[in-house]
């Protein structure tokens, strides 16, 4: 024992070694990546497709994406490495900016070479988007010489700006980056904000912020920037204390705040559609249906740790059950029930489907489970498509004439109407998810995800726990399917592609597995944004893919992590923290 | 229902009993005709070398594998055939081999998992305090992730977690494995302490010396068969034992 104390006291005396400086050689590598990224987005037609959307003072989204590559990779090149045990905090200064500059210059040069290449050789047979128009776009319509200066110089400049981000003092950095992100958001989602201004009866704001050709005006951009910068700057310390208070809240206090949050959410949701109008309500409806599914999958994957890649099957079961029970056009048998009358049967069908998928995979884990459920998802779609079940489900023609949603005396027809039932269910499901998380079964799931055999020794009935997760997940998805069927008025096997499963999974991964706020934000952004930015449609899955890779590498716990996951996935950092704390304690002990 | 034997030394009934148990993994027979009786308030140890079937014995008790022949009784009632969680509910809990904490859950959450099947809040609080009394260090680390604890601390939490079920019989699978000699000794002191507070303990060990020093009786398992069963003191004196397990050279 005495020995350990001695060892501890010796610790603080160890010299701290300076962290290695930013690697300028690696900056060249980042520059090449930036250049290849810029070439790639150009060659696949993204720059051209995005040219139509003007974002800020006449700069269109195409150029923004192009030069955004320089910014992002300039930042990546300049970012100091993680501070390791026993090292001094890394220095931040000119060298970081230089790294960003180098990355930008190299990236610009690569892009310029591409411009030369497409001037000399026609590669349109492989990349149909590499047209003379693209070349015009990349040379700013002024020839290769100008392009050399503009691209290399511009990339260098933007890269250096990116490299400057880590140099800024911490206090300013976060507000600055956040404010810029808001400027970008206001520019990109002009439709949304303009409609909100109109709906909220403050149309003059639209004229103030946006310019006639589309996009933020200079004044508008400045207003947004200054406003958000000020807000972030002034609330920085308070947000920190709020966050730590939330972390240390007692369960009863937390319950009260969740209640308050629910009430606020209800009020906002009640007025929102009136402000949004029909088109934007449509966007939110779609996001809401995905949100419902995401909440369900979050229980299966996030809480219980069962990676289900065939989740769309339950969505399909909900939609088809609704169609058969409510539509007069159901091929074999059409009881023409109302939604309310059909509801118990939908729940029943979903629960049965959950058990059918869950039972055979009870003893499977991880990748095997993923593969088998992937198969189940496709089987469901193929069954609905098959000739065999065509007499019941209509095969490829699907089932039409599903009536509008009726709840008692209310009939929901328009997108605006549908907003209410969809988000009412979303609220209920969000609450159910939250309650489950803190229940006995929720703790059982958590333990099961950690170590199944030991959870069993603690008395967790893993068979029941798994089936419960599958069944609850299935029911949530089936509600999504039922509302979807009523809203669209028809169901086709084509609507239940594997991609639906993937999108829902991406939502929970990006938002934060196991985190309810994460799932909500993830669904609204990942489903809502592509609807608002129609140019994105073509590149939607590309962007999802990039996002997914980024998340897995850099933020596996998601953007809004659950408390639990943050703990799981940043284990090393936590251990390092613990180690540092021990050192501090030892130093304090030695000092006294 | 068949009831347990009533042939204890002083006419008492065993709290836990394996009677003529055979256990197979698929076609491979591991346990052969194993009979073990543990009386209330005893510490009994099961000794044996690697792969002799010690862990399998515990798995059979908890229902991870079912005996192909014979039966397991708790407090006179047959429990073989019941699901694991039912056996836990009836009063068996285990400190698994290598501790196996829920590494990414906090110490408090680990302890709470031990009381998973219980509903009596006050009782749980009481037992939590009891665990803190046994292991004051655990109390300081309640909000720390279990995976960041030292080996010795993990052992404490693993024992604490098992005690949180307020078991009639505590099963321990090689509690001294992977611990420094000082901690091994400490560990056995704790087992004695738990035992003094009234819990029956069935401990599986390779460290025969240590185990026998605290146990009332011991069984020796060799390739799935009980080859010796006697009081601890007799086993310590047994020449065969000395040669094979107690590491004494003659
Ligand atoms: N799930 C299983 N399937 C097949 N064989 C198994 C299984 N589990 C254990 N065995 C085999 O059963 C035998 C006994 O294993 P057991 O784990 O009971 O040994 P042990 O006495 O606990 O050994 P140790 O001291 O090394 O922990 C071993 O030969 C092992 O390979
Ligand atoms: Mg073993």
């Amino acid at each position: 024992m005495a020995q350990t104390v001695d060892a501890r006291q010796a610790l603080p005396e160890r010299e701290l070694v300076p962290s290695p400086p930013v690697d300028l050689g690696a900056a060249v590598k980042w520059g090449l990546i930036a250049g290849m990224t810029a070439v790639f987005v150009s060659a696949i037609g993204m720059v051209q497709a995005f040219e139509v959307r003007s974002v800020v003072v006449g700069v269109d989204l195409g150029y923004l994406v192009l030069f955004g590559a320089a910014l992002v990779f300039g930042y990546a090149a300049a970012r100091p490495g993680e501070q390791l045990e026993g090292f001094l905090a890394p220095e931040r200064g000119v060298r970081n900016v230089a790294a960003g500059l180098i990355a930008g210059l190299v990236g610009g040069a690569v892009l310029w070479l591409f411009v030369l290449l497409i001037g000399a050789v026609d590669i349109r047979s492989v990349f149909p988007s590499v047209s003379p128009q693209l070349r015009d776009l990349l040379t700013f319509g002024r020839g290769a010489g100008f392009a050399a200066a503009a691209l290399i110089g511009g990339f260098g400049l933007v890269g250096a700006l990116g490299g400057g981000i880590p140099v800024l003092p911490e206090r300013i950095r976060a507000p600055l980056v956040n404010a810029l992100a808001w400027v970008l958001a206001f520019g990109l989602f002009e439709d949304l904000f303009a409609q909100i201004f109109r709906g909220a009866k403050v149309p003059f704001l639209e004229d103030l912020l946006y310019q006639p050709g589309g996009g933020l005006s200079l004044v508008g951009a400045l207003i947004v920037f200054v406003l958000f910068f000020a807000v972030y700057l002034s609330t920085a310390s308070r947000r920190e204390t709020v966050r730590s208070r939330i972390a240390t809240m007692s369960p009863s206090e937390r319950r009260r705040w969740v209640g308050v949050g629910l009430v606020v959410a209800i009020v906002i949701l009640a007025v929102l559609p009136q402000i949004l109008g029909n088109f934007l309500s449509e966007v939110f409806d779609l996001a809401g249906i995905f949100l419902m599914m995401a909440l369900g999958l979050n229980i299966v994957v996030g809480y219980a740790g069962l990676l289900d890649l065939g989740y769309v099957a339950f969505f399909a079961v909900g939609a088809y059950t609704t169609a058969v029970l409510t539509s007069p056009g159901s091929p074999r048998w059409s009881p023409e029930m109302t939604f309310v009358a059909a509801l118990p049967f939908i729940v029943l069908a979903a629960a049965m489907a959950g058990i059918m998928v869950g039972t055979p995979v009870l003893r499977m884990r991880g990748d095997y489970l993923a593969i088998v459920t992937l198969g189940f998802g496709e089987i469901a779609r193929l069954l609905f498509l098959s000739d065999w079940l065509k007499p019941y489900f209509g095969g490829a023609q699907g089932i039409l004439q599903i009536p509008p949603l009726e709840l008692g005396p209310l009939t929901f027809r328009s997108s605006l109407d549908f907003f209410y039932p969809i988000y009412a269910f979303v609220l209920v499901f969000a609450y159910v998810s939250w309650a489950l998380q803190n229940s006995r079964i929720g703790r059982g799931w958590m333990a099961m995800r950690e170590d199944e055999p030991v959870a069993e020794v603690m008395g967790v009935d893993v068979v029941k726990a798994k089936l419960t997760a599958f069944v609850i997940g299935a029911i949530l998805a089936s509600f999504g399917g039922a509302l979807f069927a009523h809203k669209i008025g028809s169901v086709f096997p084509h609507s239940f592609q594997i991609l639906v499963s993937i999108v829902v999974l991406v939502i929970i991964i990006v938002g934060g597995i196991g985190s309810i706020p994460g799932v909500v934000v993830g669904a609204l952004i990942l489903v809502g944004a592509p609807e608002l930015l129609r140019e994105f449609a073509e590149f939607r899955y590309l962007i999802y893919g990039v996002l997914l890779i980024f998340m897995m590498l850099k933020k596996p716990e998601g953007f809004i992590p659950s408390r639990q996951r943050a703990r799981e996935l940043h284990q090393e950092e936590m251990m390092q923290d613990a180690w540092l704390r021990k050192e501090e304690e030892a130093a304090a002990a030695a000092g006294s | 229902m068949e009831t347990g034997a009533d042939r204890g030394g002083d006419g008492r009934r065993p709290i836990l009993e394996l009677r003529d148990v055979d256990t197979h993994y698929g076609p491979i027979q591991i346990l052969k005709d194993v009979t073990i009786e543990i009386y209330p308030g005893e510490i009994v140890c099961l000794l044996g070398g690697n792969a002799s079937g010690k862990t399998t014995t515990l798995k059979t008790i908890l229902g991870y594998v079912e005996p192909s022949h014979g039966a397991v009784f708790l407090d006179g009632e047959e429990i073989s055939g019941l699901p694991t969680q039912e056996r836990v509910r009836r009063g068996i809990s285990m400190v698994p081999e290598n501790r196996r904490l829920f590494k990414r859950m906090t110490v408090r959450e680990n302890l709470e998992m031990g009381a998973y099947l219980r509903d009596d809040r006050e009782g749980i609080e009481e037992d939590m305090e009891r665990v803190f009394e046994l292991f004051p260090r655990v109390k300081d680390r309640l909000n720390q992730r279990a995976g960041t604890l030292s080996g010795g601390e993990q052992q404490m939490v693993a024992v604490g977690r098992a005690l949180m079920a307020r078991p009639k019989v505590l099963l321990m699978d090689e509690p001294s494995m992977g611990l420094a000699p000082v901690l091994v000794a400490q560990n056995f002191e704790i087992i004695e302490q738990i035992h003094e507070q009234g819990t029956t303990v069935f401990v599986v060990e390779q460290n025969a010396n240590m185990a026998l020093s605290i146990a009332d009786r011991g069984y020796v398992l060799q390739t799935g068969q009980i080859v010796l069963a006697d009081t601890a003191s007799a086993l310590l004196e047994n020449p065969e034992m000395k040669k094979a397990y107690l590491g004494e050279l003659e």
Side-chain angles (χ1 to χ4, degrees), chain A residues 194-433:
Chain A
Q195 174 62 45
I196 289 177
F197 293 146
R198 263 175 268 144
K201 307 279 185 290
V202 281
F204 63 90
L205 276 180
E206 186 188 350
D207 303 330
L208 180 68
L209 297 183
Y210 294 105
Q211 55 189 29
L216 283 173
S217 62
L218 187 60
V219 178
L222 278 175
I223 292 175
V224 173
F225 179 81
V226 170
L227 188 71
F228 279 94
F229 188 76
V231 167
Y232 275 98
L233 196 64
S234 60
T235 58
S237 59
R238 227 165 311 151
R239 262 178 307 147
E240 201 40 58
T241 45
V242 167
R243 203 166 298 149
S244 67
R245 265 221 37 213
I246 291 176
T248 54
M249 238 180 230
S250 75
S252 64
E253 210 178 343
R254 183 163 292 147
R255 222 165 297 140
R256 236 188 348 265
W257 280 107
V258 167
V260 172
L262 273 182
V263 172
V264 172
I266 289 171
V267 171
I268 293 179
L269 289 175
V271 297
L272 200 57
Q274 307 306 327
I275 294 176
L276 291 175
N278 235 325
F279 168 67
L280 286 176
S281 291
E282 168 80 39
V283 173
F284 273 81
D285 288 356
L286 192 67
I289 287 173
F290 272 91
L291 175 49
M292 238 176 265
M293 282 195 278
L295 284 169
L297 189 64
N298 186 44
I299 288 171
V300 183
V301 181
Y303 294 179
L306 304 164
L307 184 52
D308 180 355
L309 293 184
Y311 194 58
V312 66
F314 305 128
F315 182 57
V317 167
Y320 267 99
T321 313
T322 308
V324 168
L325 295 179
T326 63
S327 165
S330 162
R332 167 60 62 91
W333 180 63
S334 54
E336 296 189 40
M337 294 179 179
T338 61
F339 172 72
V340 178
L343 214 52
F345 298 99
I346 297 169
V347 172
L348 201 68
M352 268 161 47
I355 290 170
M356 265 160 60
V357 171
T359 310
V361 300
L362 277 174
R363 284 288 156 199
M364 287 178 195
R365 285 178 210 178
D367 27 14
Y368 296 102
L369 176 66
I371 292 164
V372 173
T373 50
L374 189 71
F376 277 131
E378 274 299 274
I379 289 171
R381 184 177 65 85
L382 292 171
L383 281 178
F384 288 123
L385 185 63
S386 66
D387 284 339
W388 176 48
L389 293 176
K390 191 168 177 178
Y392 303 92
F393 300 118
Q397 280 78 49
I399 301 176
L400 309 175
Q401 300 171 40
I402 301 168
L405 183 65
E406 275 178 47
L407 288 175
L410 303 170
T411 307
F412 300 87
R413 283 172 206 282
S414 66
S415 304
L416 205 150
D417 296 341
F418 259 99
F419 186 95
Y420 292 106
I422 288 177
Y423 280 89
F425 280 117
V426 164
L427 269 186
V428 172
F429 292 161
Y431 181 78
V432 168
S433 299

Side-chain angles (χ1 to χ4, degrees), chain B residues 25 28 30 48-57 59 97 173-174 177 204 206 221:
Chain B
Y25 287 119
I28 312 162
I30 306 294
N50 280 113
S52 53
K54 303 186 297 296
T55 300
T56 305
T57 307
K59 283 184 179 170
E97 203 167 356
D173 197 350
E174 303 209 31
M177 184 196 271
V204 158
Q206 294 209 37
L221 196 61

